[in-house]
Amino acid sequence: MKKLFNCICLGVFLIVSGCSSDSEDCEVGAVENPNQQGPIDGAIYKQSALDCRVPKLQVFQFNNYTSTEIKANQNTILYISEGIFQKLDGTIIDGEITFSILEMYNAGEIIACQLSTNGINSNQTVEPLLSESIFYINAEHNGNPVLMNGEIQVFIPSDNESLDLSLYVSPSCNEIECSVLWEVVPQYSVFEEPYQDASGNIISGYRAVIGELGWYSFARYNPSTEERGVLYNKAHSPYSLANSNVFLKYDSNSIGVGMFSEYDTENEVFSEKFSQIPKNITANVIFVSKPESEFLFDSSPVVTQDGKITVTRNTKNGSERNLVDYINNL
């Protein structure tokens, strides 16, 4: 496999950057790529994750001694009982709570904000989960952090019926700027139940209770019984994990977004690495970077199989909105 991989990489390199002259012999020496950029330190792309997430936070205010129902823009609904928040010393807060929520229900926003559905499965390795929602919640009192002394009921909208979902969190890091890795919360169940508002309108979806602030997802493992393997993406210098990312977006009614986590500097190849991608999955491999003021992005359609290599060839330029729309229209 390694030989085949190296041969393919060499072939890609020759096709993309080799000499092609019908009238003269090629000169001996290094091949120059006229489109090659100088070094990229990655600071702009790294900052773009927070720049993507923070403006999407929706802020609500309520008194801690009042039961509250919060309905966010994409119909995530939270039922908050009175007196649930306390100061870090355990004192119940008698005053106003500032409550924030970030909700994501499409792959474009998830990828633009450098998130994924990568989660730890029952074999303790990483695979892209199939998710119905991703959301983040936080609460403060007078600008200070607070603790939850109780549980919040959550409803998330979904048109996908009869799914066996679990509740996932990111225990390794639960702040808004985190690189999220999902882990199941076994003590909490997810059940299917619609929401009906005061006017009688019904929204299909799922419910659960949560006990902490931070990141959450209602998701499940990929039920495919196909053999699983690893994927690769070839992207030329100066791109690497220091300044860009490669994602795998499943063709699915649920959201399945894997994030490649390894980079081979010798062959200039991104790798999914965990060997947990089922074969025969229709998907798109998506490259994203931001060397300056605009994003660079490209995609390659793929039917997955172990050792599959895609190539980033012709990147497009655009704003975050352009990137999100591009991904959601794949």
Side-chain angles (χ1 to χ4, degrees):
M1 178 62 206
K2 187 174 181 182
K3 268 186 192 176
L4 174 62
F5 174 69
N6 288 334
C7 287
I8 293 174
C9 285
L10 178 60
V12 168
F13 178 79
L14 292 175
I15 289 170
V16 175
S17 58
C19 176
S20 59
S21 173
D22 294 331
S23 58
E24 296 181 3
D25 293 334
C26 295
E27 293 184 7
V28 177
V31 177
E32 294 185 3
N33 183 348
N35 297 318
Q36 186 161 343
Q37 302 180 45
I40 300 172
D41 65 11
I44 297 174
Y45 181 59
K46 183 178 179 180
Q47 178 61 36
S48 74
L50 204 57
D51 292 343
C52 177
R53 299 176 194 185
V54 170
K56 295 177 176 59
L57 283 170
Q58 301 164 59
V59 179
F60 303 85
Q61 293 183 320
F62 55 87
N63 190 285
N64 191 42
Y65 277 111
T66 303
S67 297
T68 302
E69 178 182 298
I70 290 176
K71 187 174 183 180
N73 292 340
Q74 298 185 61
N75 289 328
T76 306
I77 299 166
L78 303 101
Y79 307 88
I80 302 174
S81 301
E82 62 181 65
I84 197 173
F85 295 106
Q86 60 186 31
K87 297 178 182 179
L88 298 184
D89 64 4
T91 305
I92 300 298
I93 295 169
D94 183 8
E96 192 171 76
I97 298 296
T98 301
F99 190 91
S100 304
I101 178 171
L102 184 160
E103 52 180 350
M104 293 188 174
Y105 287 90
N106 66 71
E109 288 188 338
I110 291 169
I111 289 174
C113 290
Q114 298 179 43
L115 295 165
S116 76
T117 65
N118 276 3
I120 298 177
N121 62 24
S122 56
N123 296 321
Q124 297 302 299
T125 190
V126 175
E127 69 168 275
L129 305 173
L130 295 178
S131 175
E132 300 306 299
S133 73
I134 287 177
F135 63 92
Y136 165 83
I137 58 171
N138 190 39
E140 295 180 344
H141 171 62
N142 293 334
N144 298 312
V146 300
L147 296 175
M148 280 177 55
N149 182 29
E151 296 174 328
I152 293 175
Q153 298 181 45
V154 180
F155 168 85
I156 64 103
S158 173
D159 292 328
N160 297 321
E161 299 179 348
S162 303
L163 299 179
D164 184 14
L165 300 177
S166 297
L167 185 68
Y168 288 83
V169 297
S170 177
S172 59
C173 192
N174 63 359
E175 300 297 330
I176 192 169
E177 69 272 22
C178 284
S179 179
V180 173
L181 179 63
W182 301 107
E183 295 186 35
V184 70
V185 187
Q187 64 267 35
Y188 287 133
S189 298
V190 175
F191 57 96
E192 186 174 8
E193 184 180 301
Y195 169 83
Q196 183 171 344
D197 65 18
S199 301
N201 300 309
I202 296 176
I203 305 172
S204 299
Y206 293 84
R207 298 174 184 262
V209 294
I210 59 177
E212 297 180 359
L213 303 171
W215 289 96
Y216 285 92
S217 178
F218 288 28
R220 69 193 193 279
Y221 299 131
N222 192 320
S224 172
T225 58
E226 295 270 14
E227 293 180 2
R228 301 192 174 204
V230 65
L231 300 179
Y232 302 95
N233 178 257
K234 174 77 172 176
H236 290 296
S237 177
Y239 301 117
S240 69
L241 285 173
N243 54 44
S244 51
N245 275 312
V246 174
F247 301 88
L248 179 71
K249 173 185 173 289
Y250 286 168
D251 249 355
S252 170
N253 290 332
S254 300
I255 302 168
V257 174
M259 180 187 288
F260 288 29
S261 56
E262 190 168 81
Y263 183 75
D264 182 334
T265 55
E266 181 179 353
N267 294 302
E268 298 179 346
V269 171
F270 293 83
S271 168
E272 182 277 328
K273 118 175 178 178
F274 293 108
S275 295
Q276 288 296 307
I277 304 300
K279 71 177 183 179
N280 296 322
I281 297 289
T282 304
N284 276 274
V285 175
I286 301 167
F287 169 87
V288 183
S289 184
K290 191 178 183 184
E292 296 179 347
S293 59
E294 289 193 313
F295 286 91
L296 291 180
F297 46 92
D298 186 31
S299 67
S300 301
V302 64
V303 177
T304 59
Q305 63 182 22
D306 186 26
K308 184 75 173 181
I309 301 173
T310 53
V311 182
T312 295
R313 296 181 185 274
N314 301 306
T315 55
K316 303 154 189 65
N317 295 62
S319 65
E320 180 188 311
R321 184 72 260 165
N322 297 145
L323 172 62
V324 171
D325 290 343
Y326 172 80
I327 293 170
N328 288 338
N329 288 327
L330 288 174

